[in-house]
Amino acid sequence: MTSVKMAITPVTATAPLHYRLAALPVLLISSVLARRAPLRFTLATARTIKRIVGRRPASRQRTELVIAARDWAAARFPGRSACMEASLAAFLLTALTGRAIDWCIGCRFGPAQSHAWVETGQLPVSEPDTPDRPFHVTIRI
């Protein structure tokens, strides 16, 4: 039996219960924003939230806890939770903790692919490492 390396290294942190419970409605809100609202409205909402929270950056450890809570909620979510919804949920959930992370939307070429993710300290959190085909940030909030 051989093992296959996963594309995304799983987050091993276990989020506190209050993070996990807060992640459920936040994931619903992010799904509505990502799928039903115009992109300009979603981006304006994210910029406003970032201004309200301020520039107190979240640590990598806190961001990993938030992502673990988001992943827990996504496993129980009846709808789709792709990169746009998931990254926006992590962004919003971190804002609820009083800290800020960067929400990024970008692309890469050869073949073309779009993606959304979160960063702290301009480093992606819980994203696959692909040095041969990096994502280029188009929008950073």
Side-chain angles (χ1 to χ4, degrees):
M1 185 155 126
T2 61
S3 65
V4 177
K5 185 174 179 171
M6 293 179 57
I8 298 176
T9 307
V11 176
T12 57
T14 302
L17 182 61
H18 63 281
Y19 277 27
R20 287 181 279 160
L21 294 177
L24 290 167
V26 168
L27 189 59
L28 177 64
I29 291 166
S30 70
S31 292
V32 170
L33 283 172
R35 282 191 253 160
R36 300 286 184 226
L39 182 59
R40 68 180 175 274
F41 177 80
T42 303
L43 295 174
T45 301
R47 285 186 185 104
T48 302
I49 289 169
K50 186 111 177 211
R51 268 193 298 263
I52 290 169
V53 171
R55 296 299 298 166
R56 293 179 10 188
S59 66
R60 189 165 191 85
Q61 181 182 12
R62 182 182 296 227
T63 306
E64 288 175 355
L65 289 176
V66 164
I67 289 173
R70 178 211 58 204
D71 291 346
W72 178 87
R76 287 144 184 84
F77 191 68
R80 174 187 147 202
S81 181
C83 63
M84 181 70 97
E85 295 91 345
S87 60
L88 181 56
F91 175 83
L92 296 173
L93 192 56
T94 305
L96 282 177
T97 70
R99 300 292 177 164
I101 57 175
D102 292 336
W103 180 41
C104 302
I105 301 171
C107 63
R108 64 180 169 194
F109 306 101
Q113 184 179 14
S114 61
H115 188 51
W117 67 95
V118 294
E119 293 182 351
T120 181
Q122 295 201 349
L123 293 172
V125 181
S126 296
E127 289 293 321
D129 186 25
T130 53
D132 59 329
R133 291 183 50 229
F135 281 104
H136 303 283
V137 177
T138 305
I139 299 171
R140 180 189 309 271
I141 297 177

